[in-house]
Amino acid sequence: MQFCELISLLSDTNNKPYVIEGAKPGQKVAVSPSLVGRVMGSTISGDAGTVLGWIYTPAIERGMVDPVFNNFGGEERFWFAPESGLFGLNLQGKLTGWENYRVPEAYTSQPFGVLASDRKSVVMHSRMGLTNAAGTDFLMDVTRTIRALDFCPYALGFGDEVDFVGFESENLVQNVGSKPVEKETGALGAFCLTQFLTHPRTVAIAP
């Protein structure tokens, strides 16, 4: 998929894209607050360039209809752990069983609101209500900032000779519920997931 096709897909399905750009021409990143704050795709070659992430067009066209998980694709999305077990969030209060698996609405269909945006970054916010298998209720403010990178931290001094596009996300979580988060009733772990196209030269670096 070309980057311009991704932008058209998001626009045509009422998922307003926010495009941020790196320092070099062609470095573009598309963010969709309405699709649960996802970074949907990036490219090194401008509007006609290939989107580097995996995009699931049918899910985007259908909208928020999957009762289990709306997997729209995208290069990065926000998530909470644990999914299962005594304090699990994704098994509808049960401890085991894939038949019980449901991703909470907070991060499968609830949109983020935009607090600020410019050519380099987008700042988004969502208030997420969650209940774990132990019956503990959470109310969390999630502020998510996506920034386009001007320099590749892995280019080892060859940044001017390497074509790249990059972004970073900063995700701040604040408990705004009436009770503190305690390990005895279940803590939460915030993390981000990615979905990229398969390629024989794809490398993942875990620092």
Side-chain angles (χ1 to χ4, degrees), residues 14 19 35 38 47 103 125-126 129 138 141 144 147 151 155 172:
N14 296 315
V19 178
L35 295 181
R38 279 171 165 78
D47 290 339
V103 176
H125 169 266
S126 180
F138 301 93
D141 269 358
R144 181 161 157 78
R147 301 183 185 90
F151 305 99
L172 302 178

Side-chain angles (χ1 to χ4, degrees), residues 44-75:
I44 61 174
S45 304
D47 290 339
T50 300
V51 173
L52 301 178
W54 178 70
I55 306 297
Y56 191 38
T57 300
I60 297 174
E61 292 176 338
R62 287 195 300 263
M64 307 293 184
V65 298
D66 195 314
V68 177
F69 172 43
N70 291 298
N71 189 3
F72 306 110
E75 294 182 16

Side-chain angles (χ1 to χ4, degrees), residues 73-94:
E75 294 182 16
E76 193 202 72
R77 68 181 188 271
F78 182 86
W79 208 259
F80 273 118
E83 293 193 0
S84 61
L86 179 60
F87 303 123
L89 299 166
N90 292 22
L91 293 180
Q92 303 183 93
K94 308 298 193 301

Side-chain angles (χ1 to χ4, degrees), residues 104-127:
E105 179 181 346
Y107 43 94
T108 187
S109 59
Q110 182 173 301
F112 276 69
V114 176
L115 300 180
S117 66
D118 56 30
R119 193 180 70 84
K120 303 292 296 183
S121 65
V122 181
V123 183
M124 302 173 287
H125 169 266
S126 180
R127 177 161 289 183

Side-chain angles (χ1 to χ4, degrees), residues 12 16 26 29 42 49 71 118 124 131-132 155 158 169 179 192 203:
D12 292 345
K16 180 181 177 180
V29 179
S42 62
N71 189 3
D118 56 30
M124 302 173 287
T131 302
N132 69 15
F158 293 94
S169 70
K179 297 180 181 179
C192 295
V203 177

